Amino acid sequence: MDWSTHSVSNQVDELREVDLLAIDPALQQHLRRLGAAWALPGLHAYGTALGRSETFAQAAQANAAGPVLQRFDARGRRIDDVRFHPDWHALLTLLRGQGWMARPFADRRPGRWAAAAAGMLLHGQVEAGTLCPATMTQAAIPVLRRDPALWAWLGERLLDARHDPSDRPIDAKPSIWLGMGMTEKQGGSDVRANTTTATPIGGADSAEALLRGHKWFYSAPSSDAHLVVARTPEGGLSCYLVPRWRPDGQRNAVRIQRLKDKLGNRSNASGEVEFEDAWGLRVGEPGRGIPTILEMATHTRLNCVLGSTALMRAGLVQALAYARQRQAFGRPLAQQPLMRSVLADLALESEAALVLALRLAQAFEDAEGPAPDPLARAWQRLMTPAAKLWVCKRAVAQAGEALEVLGGNGYVEESSLARLYREAPVNSVWEGSGNVMALDLLRALGREREAAQRLWDDLAEGCGDEPRLRAAQVALAPLCQGRLDPALAEGQARRITQRLVLLAQAVLLRRHAPVAVAEGFIATRFGPDTAGIFGALDPAALDVEALLARALPETPPASD
């Protein structure tokens, strides 16, 4: 008699061995629309490499192992070395080797920003921690390009497609990674409260300085250099490039006190550091450290939106693939009416985030050059903080809902969705919390009236004669046209931001997505009984079959 009770049936493995781009018709469509069809072959190859079981296993291992700080070598010399599992470096090699990080600056073809965004969107579906050093390095490029001497020194190393994990002076490396260090214990998001000091070397006008102080969150402390803000003797704040190694070949006096034990983002290192007269080189104008570092932050905020959009897509794909195969009460979960409502709602949220993220990426491209597009500039400045607040927060809710589709199978650590759930909050926190983003939007609307009017006109044109969108637009008119009391608006800043982002997403979907997606989004986000939880909707207003087929084709189309 066979007493075995361990017969495994009706269990569904996570989706693997797929081209992540081939199973995403929406991303392919939007890339073609934005002029990035030339990038599709490379992105398909990248999507195939990322979709392998081996790559998912590397991501899991890099997060399980995490970074380890070794302060001293075997003979007691201070080295402050952050050591990673080999799979972390394998993932960074894959990411950097594709060139997506540097694409916006190393290529002048139209669609380059969309192509770079797509690379980040695909990578973030498998491993999000490695996007942190890539994001900061990419964001530093436009800042450093403004300084001819710094760019001559660092430019080729920033654009290089190789990953060099060695800890040695910049001049000895073919490629480098850059990080950021703004936050201090007493200030948090209030960077103007920073107390770290910078004492010029060789006179008050010298760009070289010795930095003394601390940073409470020092992102990716193993990076070859960081951009930090420090207070000068005159009392102003300037921005400085602080490398791990001094120009004389000695280790710089950047002491890593400890690594943060974070909720998520565990593959990536974040540290606390002290500067003990660390050598730094000023970036930008003296006393203009906040505007300089905020230019970098504008780019990192775009990548927060992209990272959260990637997490939303990853959760949707795994939830839908699971629900199509898992049997419950005599039929697949994906055929159960209430589950179909949940999955359709997740699909709508995912594509709304995607179309907004890609619109912002295109705005960054169109705002470049000697004759930037004023409308692109308006989208870039006004909608980036708004999108960061909304999309990053929706990613947290969507991660929990996608995990719940798998039930207990999603809640255990063997599930990639458990890691995704822990990962999701980081983008809401990093580069400014939700309140900071909402208040930044209000300031921009108040100060940049011309940009606000351009955005308003564009949204008005996109609403057309759709009555629900027209009503939403009219409700926002006092804000966008400068007729709302700032003192009253501050307490409503999150509500205003939410309404603006939803209107922008609806307009973009109406312009660029299939009718089933656009109409489904409008019906569920602007209807009389919109609710805060996924799936609390009337499925009669949706073409559920079309939404699920677009979200994840059961037979993926052939690659381009």
Side-chain angles (χ1 to χ4, degrees), residues 30-41 43 110-116:
H30 295 308
L31 287 172
R32 293 189 188 95
R33 174 177 60 81
L34 293 168
W38 54 267
L40 287 171
L43 287 166
R112 59 189 177 277
W113 273 92

Side-chain angles (χ1 to χ4, degrees), residues 453 456 470-484 503:
Q453 187 63 49
W456 173 256
R470 278 292 186 192
Q473 182 208 7
V474 169
L476 285 169
L479 177 75
C480 292
Q481 296 180 342
R483 293 186 280 112
L484 190 64
L503 183 62

Side-chain angles (χ1 to χ4, degrees), residues 45-377:
Y46 194 40
T48 299
L50 288 166
R52 295 188 182 115
S53 298
E54 176 188 359
T55 312
F56 276 94
Q58 289 175 329
Q61 185 59 45
N63 279 271
V68 177
L69 173 62
Q70 183 170 351
R71 291 193 183 90
F72 302 93
D73 69 8
R75 295 297 178 264
R77 290 178 285 265
R78 188 77 185 246
I79 58 174
D80 291 298
D81 187 21
V82 182
R83 301 192 173 177
F84 295 86
H85 190 275
D87 284 337
W88 163 266
H89 293 297
L91 290 162
L92 279 181
T93 298
L94 178 63
L95 173 58
R96 189 149 191 170
Q98 300 298 313
W100 306 120
M101 183 191 78
R103 181 73 63 191
F105 311 103
D107 196 325
R108 301 309 301 171
R109 282 177 288 185
R112 59 189 177 277
W113 273 92
M120 296 287 194
L121 285 166
L122 294 172
H123 192 94
Q125 293 177 46
V126 179
E127 209 293 299
T130 38
L131 290 183
C132 180
T135 289
M136 293 185 296
T137 301
Q138 183 190 70
I141 290 173
V143 174
L144 296 174
R145 283 199 307 181
R146 298 183 188 279
D147 188 314
L150 277 174
W151 188 247
W153 179 31
L154 304 175
E156 290 186 5
R157 295 178 173 89
L158 291 169
L159 299 180
D160 195 282
R162 289 169 287 182
H163 167 52
D164 181 355
S166 65
D167 182 15
R168 49 183 177 157
I170 288 174
D171 288 339
K173 302 189 67 170
S175 66
I176 58 173
W177 296 98
L178 296 186
M180 297 174 69
M182 292 190 290
T183 306
E184 296 186 2
K185 290 191 283 284
Q186 73 287 343
S189 297
D190 185 4
V191 180
R192 296 186 187 279
N194 282 6
T195 60
T196 295
T197 61
T199 304
I201 302 172
D205 295 333
S206 174
E208 296 183 61
L210 296 179
L211 276 68
R212 183 174 296 182
H214 76 279
K215 295 296 174 183
W216 186 236
F217 275 91
Y218 205 61
S219 297
S222 59
S223 298
D224 298 286
H226 285 72
L227 289 178
V228 307
V229 173
R231 194 168 297 280
T232 63
E234 293 76 24
L237 290 165
S238 294
C239 180
Y240 291 88
L241 178 82
V242 180
R244 278 182 61 79
W245 293 77
R246 296 166 55 103
D248 61 8
Q250 301 299 309
R251 287 188 180 275
N252 208 0
V254 181
R255 311 303 187 199
I256 303 176
Q257 301 304 305
R258 63 171 176 170
L259 299 183
K260 298 288 192 180
D261 186 7
K262 296 174 292 183
L263 166 69
N265 199 245
R266 299 186 71 87
S267 66
N268 176 49
S270 300
E272 300 169 22
V273 303
E274 287 188 352
F275 301 137
E276 299 177 357
D277 285 344
W279 182 86
L281 191 62
R282 191 179 64 238
V283 179
E285 299 177 27
R288 297 281 297 168
I290 300 296
T292 300
I293 208 74
L294 284 181
E295 180 183 355
M296 185 176 178
T298 298
H299 287 77
T300 56
R301 288 170 181 173
L302 169 64
N303 278 12
C304 285
V305 177
L306 291 169
S308 290
T309 302
L311 295 177
M312 293 168 79
R313 172 67 187 171
L316 169 65
V317 165
Q318 295 302 335
L320 183 49
Y322 183 91
R324 282 176 173 163
Q325 299 180 69
R326 176 76 168 181
Q327 298 283 325
F329 307 108
R331 53 181 168 170
L333 281 172
Q335 293 180 15
Q336 312 264 2
L338 186 54
M339 179 60 75
R340 288 169 66 79
S341 293
V342 172
L343 294 170
D345 211 359
L346 295 176
L348 287 170
E349 194 72 33
S350 179
E351 184 155 354
L354 172 65
V355 74
L356 179 58
L358 291 177
R359 177 64 183 94
L360 292 178
Q362 188 62 37
F364 275 70
E365 180 172 319
D366 293 342
E368 289 180 342
D373 178 3
L375 178 58
R377 165 66 181 149

